Amino acid sequence: MITQLKEHGVVDIFRDHSKKDILFSLLALSKLQSAAAYYEDQKKNEGYNVNRKLLKRLAYYSVFANAAYGWTMEAATKGKLDRGNLKMLVRKTGIDEEHVVDAKWDSKTHRPAYFIVRDLKHKKIVLSIRGTFSARDVLTDLCASAETFETGHRGKHRAHQGMLEAAVSLAAETKDTVDQELRANPGYSLVLVGHSLGGGVAAVLGTMWERDYPNLQVYGYGSPCVSPEDARPTTCKNMIAVLGEGDPFSCLSLGHIANLSKALSLLCESKELRNMIMIRTDDAVENMEIRDLQWCEKTLNTLWQKMEGEVMYPPGRLFFMKKCSEGIVSIREIHRSKFSRLKLHPRMLDVSRHVPSLYESLLQEMCGL
């Protein structure tokens, strides 16, 4: 893993710089990012509102993504006890037991757990892929370098190695079943869903299968960074990734880490720049002068022009969900550039913002369910 980090341009700041310089650089970069982000938010009302029909669809499939974790996740997050995964699946999704086509609740190395159901109400065959929930899943996460793959479709295809291997394994295990179900149910189409790792694998699998299945749709929740900006599945339009505010995995790839480490290293080497940042950001961001906010934005952009890491992004169309101070939840489609930098802040590793039940509950709340 350490070798992989070095190969991707991650700077060992603890070897190259003093603890004091690192500490002050962390503080300076955090304040610089915070001021630049605040100024950017004030300049424009970014994004497009989500229509009611699509919002209901996102809320609907979030239930299936959450259900892939089984009864133990339901018990841990909601206190609901079911006698087994199948009973939980039936109760939670409303799918009759006879329409549960297949379910593998235990993951293998590079093959996450999943289930396949017939959704008669919407005429869909739904393949739901579980996110990280076991040591085997963690091994998939750790294979984080980008690998090129072919689908027969034009364009560049490049994805997270572990997710690509998981998608290949799932394709080999489930494609015959999916083909059989679609032949037996004319007028049905395929939907792939997943949370976290499951959303990433669903995106890669959807890219592999997009020529085979007309009207294929992919819905990911808390989707991780899957591929570079100019490659599929990042550029696929038949995929939607719902990303919650503060979700730590929406801006985390080897490229993000490499760029952050290089930025910190540059600040460690420039005491003058660190001091200027601290002077310019001495007040709370909402009380800062416009000229200081502008300086912070320009300085941060200049600093990041020196970054060379291969940053990966969540896949497809990106929908950003947040809850404001008044308790109102909003969701907007935004540009992927919002996820180009790993930001330093006190809650940057707060995994409570990533749990599947949070995505489900917030989407249900917006739909009044």
Side-chain angles (χ1 to χ4, degrees):
M1 185 65 183
I2 299 300
T3 301
Q4 188 180 59
L5 290 174
K6 291 180 180 179
E7 289 175 352
H8 286 82
V10 177
V11 178
D12 188 349
I13 58 174
F14 298 100
R15 180 198 63 193
D16 298 338
H17 305 286
S18 70
K19 292 180 181 178
K20 180 180 177 181
D21 283 341
I22 293 171
L23 179 62
F24 280 110
S25 296
L26 284 166
L27 180 59
L29 183 57
S30 175
K31 291 171 76 68
L32 184 68
Q33 289 180 324
S34 179
Y38 178 81
Y39 180 61
E40 184 70 19
D41 288 343
Q42 302 309 302
K43 287 196 301 182
K44 60 184 179 181
N45 187 16
E46 182 187 28
Y48 303 92
N49 288 323
V50 178
N51 66 61
R52 181 75 177 174
K53 183 178 179 181
L54 177 56
L55 180 59
K56 291 179 71 174
R57 199 186 318 151
L58 294 174
Y60 179 75
Y61 286 115
S62 70
V63 176
F64 289 77
N66 196 0
Y69 285 92
W71 74 269
T72 53
M73 180 67 83
E74 280 286 284
T77 58
K78 295 187 176 181
K80 294 182 179 180
L81 295 175
D82 291 284
R83 294 183 178 179
N85 292 320
L86 182 59
K87 288 187 179 295
M88 178 280 307
L89 172 59
V90 170
R91 174 188 58 77
K92 190 171 180 64
T93 64
I95 301 293
D96 291 338
E97 187 172 335
E98 64 182 292
H99 296 300
V100 178
V101 178
D102 191 15
K104 297 291 189 298
W105 297 103
D106 294 320
S107 62
K108 301 177 181 177
T109 302
H110 299 312
R111 198 279 280 153
Y114 67 91
F115 66 78
I116 302 173
V117 297
R118 299 183 202 98
D119 182 0
L120 274 60
K121 181 180 179 180
H122 298 93
K123 292 190 173 183
K124 304 291 184 183
I125 303 301
V126 182
L127 168 55
S128 180
I129 306 168
R130 194 183 73 188
T132 303
F133 203 55
S134 73
R136 293 186 180 91
D137 298 327
V138 173
L139 289 176
T140 301
D141 292 323
L142 291 177
C143 295
S145 59
E147 294 289 335
T148 300
F149 64 103
E150 300 293 333
T151 66
H153 194 288
R154 286 184 177 182
K156 181 178 177 181
H157 299 75
R158 192 164 168 80
H160 181 288
Q161 179 189 350
M163 296 176 201
L164 175 59
E165 292 183 13
V168 170
S169 295
L170 268 179
E173 192 165 316
T174 63
K175 195 172 190 305
D176 287 347
T177 301
V178 169
D179 287 342
Q180 181 180 334
E181 286 298 316
L182 291 173
R183 284 195 301 267
N185 296 279
Y188 280 53
S189 60
L190 178 63
V191 172
L192 307 179
V193 304
H195 167 265
S196 188
L197 170 66
V201 175
V204 181
L205 185 59
T207 305
M208 294 166 55
W209 279 357
E210 62 181 330
R211 296 188 68 183
D212 297 335
Y213 302 113
N215 303 314
L216 168 68
Q217 291 291 319
V218 180
Y219 300 100
Y221 304 87
S223 297
C225 297
V226 178
S227 65
E229 185 175 20
D230 60 345
R232 306 172 80 87
T234 298
T235 58
C236 291
K237 299 303 182 183
N238 64 330
M239 302 177 185
I240 290 178
V242 180
L243 304 161
E245 182 182 29
D247 188 323
F249 299 103
S250 61
C251 299
L252 187 60
S253 69
L254 287 174
H256 284 97
I257 296 171
N259 289 346
L260 181 66
S261 69
K262 185 173 181 179
L264 288 170
S265 182
L266 291 172
L267 287 174
C268 284
E269 294 167 358
S270 179
K271 184 177 180 180
E272 181 180 354
L273 179 57
R274 290 203 313 266
N275 289 341
M276 181 59 70
I277 292 171
M278 299 304 291
I279 292 170
R280 293 273 191 167
T281 60
D282 186 50
D283 209 344
V285 291
E286 57 269 21
N287 298 326
M288 287 174 60
E289 298 285 342
I290 290 295
R291 63 175 181 271
D292 289 328
L293 291 171
Q294 292 173 333
W295 181 89
C296 288
E297 181 187 50
K298 181 179 179 180
T299 300
L300 184 63
N301 289 336
T302 300
L303 184 63
W304 240 259
Q305 288 174 1
K306 302 173 184 178
M307 304 303 129
E308 300 174 341
E310 184 182 38
V311 172
M312 293 198 282
Y313 293 82
R317 298 168 60 194
L318 306 183
F319 288 69
F320 184 63
M321 183 171 61
K322 66 183 294 186
K323 194 167 189 174
C324 69
S325 57
E326 293 81 12
I328 300 172
V329 184
S330 65
I331 184 168
R332 299 174 70 83
E333 183 173 5
I334 63 174
H335 192 267
R336 66 178 65 95
S337 60
K338 184 177 181 67
F339 304 95
S340 63
R341 298 169 183 166
L342 180 56
K343 298 178 178 65
L344 295 170
H345 58 86
R347 298 186 66 183
M348 64 181 293
L349 299 177
D350 185 355
V351 295
S352 69
R353 295 183 170 194
H354 182 65
V355 293
S357 58
L358 178 63
Y359 280 89
E360 179 185 344
S361 63
L362 292 179
L363 287 165
Q364 299 280 317
E365 180 180 331
M366 279 188 282
C367 290
L369 300 175

